[in-house]
Amino acid sequence: MTIEARIRELGSRHRSLDETIRQETIHPAVDSLRVRELKQQKLRLKEQITSLEARAG
């Protein structure tokens, strides 16, 4: 898999997590722990994307 393809894949997962977080936060009984875990996953993906973009130049 090329770096560009990996960046696209990670970007897609990042957007998906963003939507999942949005859905979680509109529920009356928000599971704060779940939202925090999702946000941490999203941050890790963003860090991976940034690292790959730096390598791709």
Side-chain angles (χ1 to χ4, degrees), residues 36-52:
R36 188 178 74 182
E37 289 170 350
L38 291 169
K39 286 183 177 183
Q40 287 174 340
Q41 288 177 23
K42 187 178 161 189
L43 178 60
R44 283 192 296 274
L45 285 173
K46 182 62 177 172
E47 290 169 346
Q48 289 177 6
I49 291 167
T50 301
S51 174
L52 287 172

Side-chain angles (χ1 to χ4, degrees), residues 2 4-5 9-10 17-21 26 28 32-33 41 56:
T2 66
E4 291 81 13
E9 181 213 346
L10 292 174
L17 275 173
D18 204 27
E19 178 60 22
T20 303
I21 291 167
I26 62 173
S32 300
L33 180 59
Q41 288 177 23

Side-chain angles (χ1 to χ4, degrees), residues 1-2 8 10-11 13-14 16-18 22-24 27-30 35-39 41 43 49 52-53 55-56:
M1 177 181 293
T2 66
R8 283 192 303 275
L10 292 174
R13 288 174 46 197
H14 187 268
S16 177
L17 275 173
D18 204 27
R22 191 184 70 73
Q23 290 293 324
E24 286 288 328
H27 292 330
V30 176
V35 171
R36 188 178 74 182
E37 289 170 350
L38 291 169
K39 286 183 177 183
Q41 288 177 23
L43 178 60
I49 291 167
L52 287 172
E53 287 174 339
R55 286 178 35 197

